[in-house]
Amino acid sequence: MKIGFVVNDIATEKAEYTTNRLAMAAKEMGHEAWYMGIGDFAYEPDGSLSTKARAGQAKSYRSLERHLSDVKKPDVEQLIGMDEFDVVMLRNDPADDAESDPWRNNAGVAFGQLIASSGVLVVNDPTSLANALSKAYFQHFPEIVRPRTLISRDEDMIEEFIKDLGGKAVLKPLQGSGGAGVFLVDRKEAPNLKQIIEAISRDGYVVAQEYLPEAAKGDVRMFVMNGQPLMVDGEYAAFRRTPSTKDIRSNMSAGGKAVKVAVTDEMLQMVEVVRPKLVSDGMFLVGLDIVGDKLMEINVFSPGGLGSAQALYEVNFAPAIIGELERKVNIRKHYPEIDNHTLATS
């Protein structure tokens, strides 16, 4: 297979990222693994699609660092027609560029839709990703797995909601990820509440969410593939992200630490509840963020943490993901009429 991995910017990729692990696994399984940045596409006058892409040229690599170093070499960039690819993984995170380069926000899903319409398998399904560009997508999942939530820009409404919750809530921007702009407000923060709401609402809507006491222990990141928990050699690709300080953000990018977790029946039941929508939306690979008996977020763009799961359980989960892409590409050869979002989770 020829696999394309779309990232925000190749120059800012890091060796330990999940995307690099997937690319390395693809190489080791005999496939071509190409990187392309969100600004590297072109829709040409004849209606064809192309991209500037990079790949490591060695047959195998002893380390993630060496692989990515080769990808970043200045002389390896090539112009490639998108019709040469068998599958493209959209691994860019729109929230990373929301402030510095707003144009990138929709570029991935827009070109992803064009690529999918040309017959190349694109995962996750770009049309569904377009609907998931804000945290409002999360509200389409059943209420039983979600914390009580208000999305508004009205200061009085937000204050009243927090009062109804007993004076304690989590506030965050509707757009964004990685724990950016997340505040825990309680009675101690009451004098600063107006300023916090104003600071978040300057960039759009405010998400006010019920605070779950279990969040003090961190959250659980669980990988779900084709609507099923990702499991290899009897181990789930799941781990607890614990805050390194009293900071409520347990995201790894905010200093969280990964530890082993025992996957419970309650966690598996949550997967059962969200599976139908994930499958119908063509969400091939996602990361569920679980606190207690609730889902805090569903990362559908670039779920990370495979390296943490591998280190904790001594299991490499990446080949199983590439193996699923192999299977889907073979299905496409026999059934070209199957649409992209159906094939993405078949």
Side-chain angles (χ1 to χ4, degrees), residues 58-100:
K59 290 184 179 179
S60 63
Y61 289 93
R62 285 177 290 183
S63 71
L64 292 162
E65 290 77 12
R66 184 60 185 270
H67 174 251
L68 190 60
S69 175
D70 271 11
V71 170
K72 290 185 177 183
K73 285 181 177 178
D75 59 346
V76 300
E77 188 173 271
Q78 296 183 34
L79 184 66
I80 304 175
M82 291 307 304
D83 59 356
E84 294 184 27
F85 288 92
D86 297 291
V87 57
V88 168
M89 284 197 83
L90 297 176
R91 293 280 308 168
N92 63 295
D93 186 349
D96 282 357
D97 303 311
E99 291 185 15
S100 58

Side-chain angles (χ1 to χ4, degrees), residues 220-224 229 236-238 263 267-268 271 286-290:
V220 173
R221 162 57 57 91
M222 175 182 284
F223 281 88
V224 173
Y236 287 104
V263 174
M267 293 177 190
L268 297 177
V271 178
V286 307
L288 304 186
D289 295 342
I290 302 168

Side-chain angles (χ1 to χ4, degrees), residues 14-170:
K14 295 182 180 178
E16 67 270 21
Y17 282 0
T18 291
T19 302
N20 195 39
R21 295 176 186 277
L22 292 170
M24 273 271 289
K27 289 279 292 184
E28 290 168 357
M29 295 168 72
H31 305 301
E32 294 183 41
W34 293 83
Y35 273 80
M36 55 202 74
I38 203 67
D40 292 334
F41 296 109
Y43 181 91
E44 303 197 27
D46 63 358
S48 64
L49 294 162
S50 62
T51 186
K52 291 183 288 185
R54 295 166 165 270
Q57 301 305 310
K59 290 184 179 179
S60 63
Y61 289 93
R62 285 177 290 183
S63 71
L64 292 162
E65 290 77 12
R66 184 60 185 270
H67 174 251
L68 190 60
S69 175
D70 271 11
V71 170
K72 290 185 177 183
K73 285 181 177 178
D75 59 346
V76 300
E77 188 173 271
Q78 296 183 34
L79 184 66
I80 304 175
M82 291 307 304
D83 59 356
E84 294 184 27
F85 288 92
D86 297 291
V87 57
V88 168
M89 284 197 83
L90 297 176
R91 293 280 308 168
N92 63 295
D93 186 349
D96 282 357
D97 303 311
E99 291 185 15
S100 58
D101 295 300
W103 62 268
R104 293 174 179 263
N105 195 42
N106 296 303
V109 294
F111 274 97
Q113 289 172 317
L114 290 170
I115 295 165
S117 68
S118 72
V120 177
L121 173 62
V122 180
V123 292
N124 291 335
D125 182 69
T127 298
S128 293
L129 286 180
N131 297 329
L133 281 170
S134 84
K135 289 184 174 70
Y137 175 73
F138 185 50
Q139 303 308 119
H140 291 283
F141 289 87
E143 187 176 351
I144 190 172
V145 297
R146 293 186 281 110
R148 287 183 63 195
T149 301
L150 168 71
I151 301 175
S152 176
R153 299 186 76 250
D154 186 283
E155 188 177 299
D156 292 337
M157 190 178 290
I158 295 170
E159 289 185 356
E160 186 64 27
F161 178 67
I162 294 172
K163 184 179 178 181
D164 289 344
L165 292 175
K168 196 167 187 177
V170 175

Side-chain angles (χ1 to χ4, degrees), residues 182 242 330:
V182 179
T242 60
N330 284 328

Side-chain angles (χ1 to χ4, degrees), residues 274-300:
V274 299
R275 174 185 297 135
K277 182 163 180 60
L278 292 176
V279 170
S280 67
D281 285 354
M283 297 299 186
F284 165 63
L285 184 68
V286 307
L288 304 186
D289 295 342
I290 302 168
V291 172
D293 61 352
K294 300 291 184 182
L295 279 173
M296 293 302 291
E297 200 163 331
I298 300 180
N299 188 319
V300 298

